[in-house]
mmCIF file of all heavy atoms in Angstrom:
data_model
loop_
_atom_site.group_PDB
_atom_site.id
_atom_site.type_symbol
_atom_site.label_atom_id
_atom_site.label_comp_id
_atom_site.label_asym_id
_atom_site.label_seq_id
_atom_site.Cartn_x
_atom_site.Cartn_y
_atom_site.Cartn_z
ATOM 1 N N HIS R 1056 5.061 -9.336 -2.596
ATOM 2 C CA HIS R 1056 4.563 -8.007 -2.509
ATOM 3 C C HIS R 1056 5.407 -7.045 -3.455
ATOM 4 O O HIS R 1056 6.582 -7.165 -3.574
ATOM 5 C CB HIS R 1056 4.779 -7.439 -1.109
ATOM 6 C CG HIS R 1056 4.004 -8.117 -0.079
ATOM 7 N ND1 HIS R 1056 2.700 -7.693 0.118
ATOM 8 C CD2 HIS R 1056 4.206 -9.107 0.847
ATOM 9 C CE1 HIS R 1056 2.178 -8.491 1.174
ATOM 10 N NE2 HIS R 1056 3.132 -9.240 1.560
ATOM 11 N N VAL R 1057 4.617 -6.135 -4.042
ATOM 12 C CA VAL R 1057 5.220 -4.900 -4.633
ATOM 13 C C VAL R 1057 5.665 -4.064 -3.435
ATOM 14 O O VAL R 1057 4.802 -3.861 -2.555
ATOM 15 C CB VAL R 1057 4.220 -4.144 -5.544
ATOM 16 C CG1 VAL R 1057 4.717 -2.769 -5.821
ATOM 17 C CG2 VAL R 1057 3.910 -4.955 -6.776
ATOM 18 N N ARG R 1059 8.087 -4.765 -1.146
ATOM 19 C CA ARG R 1059 8.657 -5.512 -0.067
ATOM 20 C C ARG R 1059 9.994 -4.792 0.288
ATOM 21 O O ARG R 1059 10.839 -4.599 -0.573
ATOM 22 C CB ARG R 1059 8.964 -6.956 -0.562
ATOM 23 C CG ARG R 1059 9.167 -7.890 0.597
ATOM 24 C CD ARG R 1059 7.810 -8.155 1.223
ATOM 25 N NE ARG R 1059 7.929 -9.240 2.225
ATOM 26 C CZ ARG R 1059 7.041 -9.288 3.191
ATOM 27 N NH1 ARG R 1059 6.164 -8.295 3.400
ATOM 28 N NH2 ARG R 1059 7.077 -10.299 4.053
ATOM 29 N N GLY R 1110 8.262 11.587 3.044
ATOM 30 C CA GLY R 1110 8.270 12.374 1.773
ATOM 31 C C GLY R 1110 7.122 13.347 1.704
ATOM 32 O O GLY R 1110 7.318 14.366 1.001
ATOM 33 N N THR R 1111 5.998 13.088 2.301
ATOM 34 C CA THR R 1111 4.852 13.921 2.183
ATOM 35 C C THR R 1111 5.102 15.284 2.888
ATOM 36 O O THR R 1111 4.854 16.348 2.378
ATOM 37 C CB THR R 1111 3.627 13.253 2.685
ATOM 38 O OG1 THR R 1111 3.415 12.052 1.968
ATOM 39 C CG2 THR R 1111 2.368 14.103 2.516
ATOM 40 N N ASP R 1205 9.035 16.208 -7.547
ATOM 41 C CA ASP R 1205 8.795 15.101 -6.692
ATOM 42 C C ASP R 1205 9.635 13.968 -7.184
ATOM 43 O O ASP R 1205 9.353 13.311 -8.196
ATOM 44 C CB ASP R 1205 7.300 14.751 -6.654
ATOM 45 C CG ASP R 1205 6.968 13.570 -5.842
ATOM 46 O OD1 ASP R 1205 7.821 12.726 -5.525
ATOM 47 O OD2 ASP R 1205 5.688 13.439 -5.415
ATOM 48 N N HIS R 1208 10.558 8.638 -6.446
ATOM 49 C CA HIS R 1208 10.832 7.333 -7.054
ATOM 50 C C HIS R 1208 12.301 7.298 -7.534
ATOM 51 O O HIS R 1208 12.691 6.297 -8.098
ATOM 52 C CB HIS R 1208 9.951 7.059 -8.237
ATOM 53 C CG HIS R 1208 8.539 6.938 -7.936
ATOM 54 N ND1 HIS R 1208 7.569 6.557 -8.893
ATOM 55 C CD2 HIS R 1208 7.835 6.972 -6.775
ATOM 56 C CE1 HIS R 1208 6.417 6.487 -8.275
ATOM 57 N NE2 HIS R 1208 6.515 6.716 -7.031
ATOM 58 N N SER R 1229 11.651 10.302 -1.147
ATOM 59 C CA SER R 1229 10.964 9.521 -0.115
ATOM 60 C C SER R 1229 11.812 8.334 0.260
ATOM 61 O O SER R 1229 12.328 7.602 -0.688
ATOM 62 C CB SER R 1229 9.579 9.057 -0.621
ATOM 63 O OG SER R 1229 9.078 7.985 0.174
ATOM 64 N N LYS R 1234 10.028 1.980 -0.639
ATOM 65 C CA LYS R 1234 10.946 2.456 -1.689
ATOM 66 C C LYS R 1234 12.212 1.569 -1.688
ATOM 67 O O LYS R 1234 12.520 0.954 -0.682
ATOM 68 C CB LYS R 1234 11.357 3.919 -1.359
ATOM 69 C CG LYS R 1234 10.171 4.841 -1.466
ATOM 70 C CD LYS R 1234 9.673 4.967 -2.903
ATOM 71 C CE LYS R 1234 8.544 5.953 -3.063
ATOM 72 N NZ LYS R 1234 7.423 5.781 -2.329
ATOM 73 N N ARG R 1360 -0.015 -4.609 -8.378
ATOM 74 C CA ARG R 1360 -0.808 -3.376 -8.069
ATOM 75 C C ARG R 1360 -1.132 -2.616 -9.314
ATOM 76 O O ARG R 1360 -0.331 -2.647 -10.300
ATOM 77 C CB ARG R 1360 0.041 -2.536 -7.151
ATOM 78 C CG ARG R 1360 0.353 -3.166 -5.754
ATOM 79 C CD ARG R 1360 -0.848 -3.314 -4.894
ATOM 80 N NE ARG R 1360 -1.422 -2.031 -4.563
ATOM 81 C CZ ARG R 1360 -1.140 -1.346 -3.430
ATOM 82 N NH1 ARG R 1360 -0.405 -1.897 -2.552
ATOM 83 N NH2 ARG R 1360 -1.695 -0.200 -3.210
ATOM 84 N N TYR R 1362 -0.848 0.822 -9.698
ATOM 85 C CA TYR R 1362 -0.434 2.122 -9.488
ATOM 86 C C TYR R 1362 -0.612 2.946 -10.759
ATOM 87 O O TYR R 1362 -0.218 2.481 -11.805
ATOM 88 C CB TYR R 1362 1.023 2.221 -9.096
ATOM 89 C CG TYR R 1362 1.348 1.750 -7.682
ATOM 90 C CD1 TYR R 1362 2.683 1.384 -7.408
ATOM 91 C CD2 TYR R 1362 0.450 1.635 -6.695
ATOM 92 C CE1 TYR R 1362 3.081 0.957 -6.155
ATOM 93 C CE2 TYR R 1362 0.808 1.149 -5.415
ATOM 94 C CZ TYR R 1362 2.119 0.851 -5.158
ATOM 95 O OH TYR R 1362 2.465 0.409 -3.925
HETATM 96 N N1 LIG T 2698 5.325 11.172 -4.160
HETATM 97 C C1 LIG T 2698 5.295 10.011 -4.745
HETATM 98 C C2 LIG T 2698 5.435 10.005 -6.284
HETATM 99 C C3 LIG T 2698 5.223 8.773 -4.056
HETATM 100 O O1 LIG T 2698 5.145 7.606 -4.747
HETATM 101 C C4 LIG T 2698 5.093 8.816 -2.659
HETATM 102 C C5 LIG T 2698 4.967 7.642 -1.906
HETATM 103 C C6 LIG T 2698 5.145 10.097 -2.052
HETATM 104 C C7 LIG T 2698 5.229 11.265 -2.844
HETATM 105 C C8 LIG T 2698 5.046 10.279 -0.566
HETATM 106 O O2 LIG T 2698 6.146 9.724 0.197
HETATM 107 P P1 LIG T 2698 6.013 9.214 1.633
HETATM 108 O O3 LIG T 2698 5.194 10.204 2.439
HETATM 109 O O4 LIG T 2698 5.222 7.873 1.574
HETATM 110 O O5 LIG T 2698 7.363 9.080 2.110
HETATM 111 C C9 LIG T 2698 2.993 2.988 -0.941
HETATM 112 C C10 LIG T 2698 3.776 3.821 0.037
HETATM 113 O O6 LIG T 2698 3.074 3.921 1.270
HETATM 114 C C11 LIG T 2698 4.114 5.202 -0.486
HETATM 115 O O7 LIG T 2698 5.235 5.619 0.245
HETATM 116 C C12 LIG T 2698 4.444 5.218 -1.929
HETATM 117 N N2 LIG T 2698 4.685 6.493 -2.501
HETATM 118 C C13 LIG T 2698 3.462 4.474 -2.773
HETATM 119 C C14 LIG T 2698 3.809 4.376 -4.218
HETATM 120 O O8 LIG T 2698 3.359 3.160 -2.299
HETATM 121 P P2 LIG T 2698 0.634 1.841 -0.842
HETATM 122 O O9 LIG T 2698 -0.710 2.395 -0.578
HETATM 123 O O10 LIG T 2698 0.863 1.110 -2.040
HETATM 124 O O11 LIG T 2698 1.205 1.015 0.422
HETATM 125 P P3 LIG T 2698 0.814 -0.383 0.868
HETATM 126 O O12 LIG T 2698 0.579 -0.350 2.360
HETATM 127 O O13 LIG T 2698 -0.308 -0.993 0.012
HETATM 128 O O14 LIG T 2698 2.127 -1.272 0.744
HETATM 129 C C15 LIG T 2698 2.603 -1.651 -0.557
HETATM 130 C C16 LIG T 2698 3.010 -3.099 -0.527
HETATM 131 O O15 LIG T 2698 4.243 -3.241 0.142
HETATM 132 C C17 LIG T 2698 2.067 -4.138 0.043
HETATM 133 O O16 LIG T 2698 1.950 -5.250 -0.797
HETATM 134 C C18 LIG T 2698 2.669 -4.489 1.374
HETATM 135 C C19 LIG T 2698 4.142 -4.277 1.169
HETATM 136 N N3 LIG T 2698 4.833 -3.839 2.383
HETATM 137 C C20 LIG T 2698 4.580 -2.568 2.815
HETATM 138 C C21 LIG T 2698 5.157 -2.105 4.013
HETATM 139 C C22 LIG T 2698 4.875 -0.728 4.547
HETATM 140 C C23 LIG T 2698 5.690 -4.653 3.061
HETATM 141 O O17 LIG T 2698 5.879 -5.867 2.623
HETATM 142 N N4 LIG T 2698 6.315 -4.202 4.211
HETATM 143 C C24 LIG T 2698 6.089 -2.942 4.760
HETATM 144 O O18 LIG T 2698 6.651 -2.593 5.745
HETATM 145 O O19 LIG T 2698 1.624 3.121 -0.816
#
Side-chain angles (χ1 to χ4, degrees):
H1056 292 278
V1057 166
R1059 199 72 172 150
T1111 303
D1205 177 337
H1208 296 184
S1229 164
K1234 296 295 183 301
R1360 299 290 296 264
Y1362 288 161

